[in-house]
Amino acid sequence: MELTQQVERLILGVKMKLTVPLLLLVLLAAAGLSRARVKTSLLDLTNSFGSILPRLSRPANHSRIFYAVMFDAGSTGTRIHVYTFIQSDSAFPLSSQPLHRSPQGDIEELPILDNEMFHSIKPGLSAYADSPEMAGHTVRMLLKVAKKTVPRLEWKRTPLVLRATAGLRLLAADKARVLLEQVQHVFDESPFLVPDNSVSIMNGTYEGILAWISVNYLTGHLNAQTKKTVGILDLGGGSTQITFLPKLRKTIESVPVADYVARFDISDTSFELYTYSYLGHGLMAARLATLGALGAEGLEWRVFKSSCLPKKFRDEWSFGGLTYQVSGDPDGYAAYKRCYQEVLTVVKGIIHQPYQLEGSNVFYAFSYYFDRAVDAGLIDGVQGGMLEVRDFRKRAKEVCNKMTKYPSSSPFLCMDMTYITCLLKDGFGFKESTVLQLTKKVNNVEASWALGATLDHFHNLKIH
């Protein structure tokens, strides 16, 4: 109790503008340390206290800082997002429990995102299906980022959450379970707050909705006066998502099944979205389907061929913990038209075309849409840019028709660019003149579902 009272006096002293060394000496002396140990500890504490003194001396403006750690366990990599938020005292989450409505029935306002620390490691957890201890090692390595970013005094109340996506959804249930158990063990031994259901496989629909929430939050469209929002197109390794807010009721009424519609409330506003996640139609899974290798057996002796690959190309290619022998068609004709026909069988009749798509939304496209546009030289790798759908088609033609004479450094670029073109045109039904905003970051924050998932964790958006 005496030490607590002295700490309170210390904080008061900060407000009275006493010098930091003097305050630290008082605190250390109160703890009964010798003069020598006080001198040594003072040097250590001067460094560590530097990160928390701004919070102690922050003006009493009824706002606080809090943190959250979200892991994105994707099919091709595992990413960590460490978020720093600012929010008023009345809405400040002191635990991992979701924020509730105020006594007046209003939903607490969303916090301000102050900073994001991001890091990623390849391959994804699904690559360790037969050596699950490596999954734990991957997460343990990434946790070092969280420890360096979140002040030590905040660790115990900073929630730690991991959501796995298509990579684990495509795995056998027992193998996915063992991987998640390894992650849970690492979480439980960490110094962070581990809430209930902290490690799980995320529903594909949630992936699209939460990505939509992330981008619209970052572009300032989540408020009661919202009249204009942006749609999102996310192309992962194992799945792809489309989500937007329709302006016409018929878009919702004409969906093939109810699974294409989702509703949630945020900031006292209700949203009804068109959204769907296509498992097995991410870029890497689409490669397998185009090659005829999806679910195939006898991988040690079979060679999977495609007109989308250079004729003389032959190599091993791995995805999801399995290795495939792949090659071009040495007896065929490698070109865009042949490749498009192969890819069309993967898309046609499977991807639903929404009733209203054009003119109602600006669409942000990220993940592999962005990465392959960079690889094809269509956009800058840092700034991103705006492209028409026809730009993907034109570059796909160029890459495919020249890949035999001028081999690309990426032998799959023809197949990938053709698939993206086919997915946009014959899949979702975008016109060639549709403009897409290709981006990796929005306002310097990674464009992904992770931020939306963090907001959902704190605010319980009741997505249904």
Side-chain angles (χ1 to χ4, degrees), residues 42-69:
L42 177 59
L43 294 175
D44 295 335
L45 282 173
T46 300
N47 293 328
S48 62
F49 264 64
S51 63
I52 66 170
L53 280 175
R55 289 199 55 197
L56 295 175
S57 58
R58 183 182 295 276
N61 59 357
H62 301 290
S63 65
R64 295 189 184 181
I65 295 176
F66 67 100
Y67 303 84
V69 180

Side-chain angles (χ1 to χ4, degrees), residues 75 235-240 280-290 317 319 368-369 371-372 412 415-417 419-420 423:
S75 58
L235 181 61
S239 64
T240 188
H281 284 79
L283 194 68
M284 301 301 149
R287 287 183 183 180
L288 288 181
T290 302
W317 175 70
F319 175 64
Y368 277 119
Y369 288 115
D371 294 340
R372 285 300 172 266
F412 282 97
M415 181 184 289
D416 293 346
M417 292 294 288
Y419 175 69
I420 289 173
L423 179 63

Side-chain angles (χ1 to χ4, degrees), residues 185-427:
H185 175 69
V186 174
F187 273 23
D188 290 341
E189 67 180 17
S190 80
F192 294 95
L193 178 63
V194 181
D196 294 338
N197 194 31
S198 58
V199 178
S200 67
I201 298 175
M202 185 167 61
N203 178 288
T205 300
Y206 271 52
E207 195 173 344
I209 297 167
L210 295 172
W212 185 90
I213 291 172
S214 293
V215 174
N216 281 278
Y217 169 90
L218 292 169
T219 53
H221 291 121
L222 292 185
N223 55 64
Q225 289 75 42
T226 295
K227 293 183 179 179
K228 183 179 179 182
T229 59
V230 298
I232 66 101
L233 295 167
D234 191 357
L235 181 61
S239 64
T240 188
Q241 291 78 34
I242 177 172
T243 306
F244 65 97
L245 183 66
K247 289 186 177 179
L248 298 180
R249 185 67 194 171
K250 190 172 180 180
T251 305
I252 296 296
E253 294 173 347
S254 62
V255 297
V257 292
D259 290 350
Y260 283 77
V261 180
R263 301 169 182 84
F264 70 95
D265 296 329
I266 192 168
S267 294
D268 216 14
T269 303
S270 296
F271 293 94
E272 186 174 47
L273 302 177
Y274 175 99
T275 182
Y276 202 75
S277 176
Y278 294 91
L279 184 61
H281 284 79
L283 194 68
M284 301 301 149
R287 287 183 183 180
L288 288 181
T290 302
L291 288 160
L294 199 61
E297 298 180 353
L299 303 185
E300 64 277 2
W301 54 267
R302 292 185 63 179
V303 178
F304 299 95
K305 302 176 183 179
S306 172
S307 299
C308 299
L309 296 172
K311 288 181 66 172
K312 296 182 180 180
F313 172 76
R314 179 164 177 168
D315 203 352
E316 291 184 344
W317 175 70
S318 298
F319 175 64
L322 298 175
T323 300
Y324 304 83
Q325 300 288 331
V326 300
S327 79
D329 186 354
D331 302 319
Y333 179 61
Y336 174 76
K337 190 173 182 180
R338 287 282 298 274
C339 179
Y340 200 93
Q341 291 305 311
E342 286 185 20
V343 169
L344 190 60
T345 62
V346 179
V347 172
K348 201 163 182 65
I350 300 172
I351 308 294
H352 176 254
Q353 296 188 0
Y355 172 76
Q356 175 209 24
L357 200 56
E358 304 295 333
S360 61
N361 287 269
V362 172
F363 275 85
Y364 277 63
F366 42 92
S367 300
Y368 277 119
Y369 288 115
F370 178 91
D371 294 340
R372 285 300 172 266
V374 171
D375 295 341
L378 289 173
I379 59 172
D380 179 77
V382 176
Q383 300 297 325
M386 301 185 80
L387 294 177
E388 293 184 350
V389 171
R390 75 177 93 226
D391 294 326
F392 280 103
R393 177 182 57 79
K394 288 178 181 178
R395 188 52 55 89
K397 266 188 173 182
E398 293 172 3
V399 172
C400 293
N401 293 339
K402 294 179 180 179
M403 65 180 169
T404 300
K405 190 173 182 180
Y406 305 103
S408 168
S409 57
S410 173
F412 282 97
L413 189 59
C414 165
M415 181 184 289
D416 293 346
M417 292 294 288
T418 302
Y419 175 69
I420 289 173
T421 304
C422 189
L423 179 63
L424 293 172
K425 288 175 74 268
D426 294 284

Side-chain angles (χ1 to χ4, degrees), residues 55 64-65 67 92 94-95 154-159 193:
R55 289 199 55 197
R64 295 189 184 181
I65 295 176
Y67 303 84
F92 179 62
L94 295 175
S95 71
E154 299 290 338
W155 286 357
K156 289 185 178 180
R157 66 178 183 182
T158 296
L193 178 63

